[in-house]
Amino acid sequence: MKLLVTGGAGYVGSVCAAHLVTAGHDVTVLDDLSTGHPDAVPEGAQFVKGDLTEAAADVLAEGFDGVLHFAARSLVSESVQRPELYWSGNVVASLRLLEAMRLHGTPRLVFSSTAATYGEPEQVPIREDAPTRPTNPYGASKLAIDHMIGSYAVAHGLAATSLRYFNVAGAHGRFGERHTVETHLIPIVLQVAAGTRESVQIFGDDWPTADGTCVRDYIHVDDLAAAHVLALDHSETGRHAVYNLGSGTGFSVREVIEACRAVTGHPIPAVVAPRRGGDPAVLIASSEAMIGELGWRPERTDLATIVGDAWRFTREHQGV
Ligand code: UFG
């Protein structure tokens, strides 16, 4: 298929673009490089520098079979402080993209949604029919886009899938996580091992969990990318499917740090700090729908593999 990957110079977008090229698709990456990196565009993909509001319509005019939409702002704390960036950069820009797709008859969409659409869960593992009560503008903006996509499927026959990711981690070859402002646990812990940070803060050790630290469901970015390829292949005209994507196992912050110590051989000093605002205690996905309906099989679910791949990437990029 001829596919447009928005945000394909970012972390998840670049890994998915690489998987799509490997699967034999004709891939064009559209990215404004506001947070992405030009060298993250995989070999074999075309690259267009531009943003969704201006460039998407021109690119789609060439005629595409589908769009994988990753371009977004994705920092929870930034979304609380500057919500306008999220309503504009996520919601308005996605509306422009949907309109460009409608104008040019692009039939398929796979959208990068998030567990943050659910907010504080009543039950874990979280299924797709759980209440959606986002606790920050980031999650609310992604939920609004999910609703837009659903209405386009009904009204305009779009074949669409929203994939709600839990905690994405790991790397794929030379494609991995490198944010200018890093907020995610595993890359921060590995920065300590790499010597670019002195210690990691544990945001609270008095949570109602076994060791008092927050529990998250870490999904390897390769398993996530494989899910996108499946979602594209199974999309149906006029249907908006929503799937959660996690490994189904929870690991605490302390367990993650311990796994990083084992993989890197570094003592990784950790200090307990106050809780971070907006963190739920436990987030674990039920991915039963994705597994049962699309035959998805996550293969890299153990923490040592996930951290090991992230560590190899960190060493290559930081010259450790
Ligand atoms: N944490 C620390 N110290 C740090 C960084 C993180 O203790 O320096 C803790 C957090 O408090 C949290 C856990 O590690 O308990 C994981 O934090 P991340 O920032 O890595 O990930 P989040 O669970 O906050 O966020 C992820 C995605 C978001 C998404 C959210 C859904 O990255 O995009 O899940 O709630 F919105």
Side-chain angles (χ1 to χ4, degrees), residues 74 76 114-116 138 165-167 183-186 188 200-203 214-216 218 253 276 279-280 283:
S74 62
V76 170
T114 171
Y138 166 63
Y165 315 159
F166 282 62
N167 289 63
T183 62
H184 291 133
L185 180 65
I186 291 176
I188 284 177
V200 57
Q201 292 186 314
I202 296 174
F203 295 144
C214 287
V215 169
R216 293 289 182 272
Y218 294 88
V253 172
R276 185 172 70 174
D279 271 343
L283 286 179

Side-chain angles (χ1 to χ4, degrees), residues 110 163 219 222-232 245 290 294 296:
V110 179
L163 298 177
I219 173 173
D222 272 333
D223 285 333
L224 190 74
H228 287 73
V229 178
L230 277 176
L232 190 69
L245 284 177
M290 189 74 195
L294 269 60
W296 180 61

Side-chain angles (χ1 to χ4, degrees), residues 139-159:
S141 73
K142 290 280 185 168
L143 182 60
I145 299 165
D146 280 346
H147 285 306
M148 283 196 304
I149 293 170
S151 67
Y152 271 64
V154 171
H156 305 307
L158 186 65

